[in-house]
Structures are given as C-alpha cells and as structure tokens.
C-alpha cells in the first residue's frame, strides 16, 4: 500500500505560479510512472503531466510550456510547477503513482485561479 499526500494548492490570480508537491509513503524510485491529474467541476478527471521510469514525460496540450513535472527520489516527492496560471486551470489536482501494476491516488489539492 502506498499513501500519497498532495499539498501546495490555493487561490491565486491569473498569471501567477504555484508549486504542488506529492509526498509518497514509499520509495518513488520503484514507480513505473508518476503523474498529476486534475478534475474541474462537472468534468472528467484528465491527465496533466506524467513521467515514466523510462524517462519519458508527456503533458496535456493545454499546459505545455507552462507546467513542469519533476521528482526528488531522495525525498519520495513529485512536484508540479505551474506558471502563468489561467482561470481554466482551476480544478482539484491529484497525484498518481503507478507501481507494480497498481495505481495509487492522493486525496487531491484544490487550485483556484481567479481575479
């Protein structure tokens, strides 16, 4: 069992930045993939960014050039740096770890972009 805890969400104005963190209860070194997803009210959960153990990384078209996913294996933490935030980025952001064929989710952190 793996526990994931997201943090770093909040209320920001358009154009500002936030960095989300996802702390894992177990080593992320063994994860086959780590990702950030989001779900806005009335919408389905969607992929934001995902990185694999093989080194590949992919982003949703809507966040390319603005968001960056990174990891710190020593701290068992995955980050999502979000720059130039837009109102349409408002959602609950979830961290996901894929490990030995099982996906684990965090509880989510709210990001609200509003003036």
């Amino acid at each position: 069992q793996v526990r994931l805890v997201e943090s770093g969400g909040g209320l920001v104005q358009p154009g500002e930045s936030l960095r989300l963190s996802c702390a894992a209860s177990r080593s992320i070194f063994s994860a086959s993939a780590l990702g950030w997803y989001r779900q806005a009210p009335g919408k389905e959960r969607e992929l934001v960014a995902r990185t694999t153990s093989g080194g590949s990384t992919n982003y949703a078209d809507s966040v390319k050039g603005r968001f960056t996913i990174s990891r710190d294996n020593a701290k068992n933490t995955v980050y999502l740096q979000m720059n130039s935030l837009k109102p349409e980025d408002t959602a609950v952001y979830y961290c996901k770890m894929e490990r030995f064929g099982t996906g684990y989710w965090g509880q989510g952190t709210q990001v609200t972009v509003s003036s």
Side-chain angles (χ1 to χ4, degrees):
Q1 189 71 14
V2 177
R3 183 166 178 253
L4 302 173
V5 179
E6 300 99 334
S7 60
L11 171 63
V12 296
Q13 294 189 347
E16 294 186 339
S17 299
L18 277 176
R19 189 177 78 156
L20 305 183
S21 299
C22 172
S25 61
R26 291 200 172 194
S27 171
I28 65 172
F29 183 79
S30 60
S32 56
L34 297 160
W36 286 95
Y37 295 73
R38 67 186 181 187
Q39 187 167 18
K43 295 187 177 181
E44 294 187 353
R45 192 173 297 188
E46 63 175 0
L47 172 70
V48 176
R50 182 175 179 266
T51 184
T52 70
S53 58
S56 65
T57 302
N58 59 294
Y59 295 90
D61 288 342
S62 58
V63 307
K64 282 181 182 176
R66 300 188 298 123
F67 290 12
T68 303
I69 187 171
S70 62
R71 61 193 290 171
D72 186 334
N73 290 340
K75 294 183 178 180
N76 292 327
T77 300
V78 183
Y79 303 98
L80 184 68
Q81 178 67 43
M82 306 186 294
N83 298 329
S84 303
L85 283 161
K86 304 176 181 180
E88 50 265 42
D89 294 319
T90 295
V92 178
Y93 283 71
Y94 298 91
C95 174
K96 181 182 182 182
M97 175 189 288
E98 298 166 42
R99 183 173 181 267
F100 301 128
T102 301
Y104 301 91
W105 293 91
Q107 84 290 346
T109 185
Q110 176 71 46
V111 172
T112 302
V113 185
S114 175
S115 56

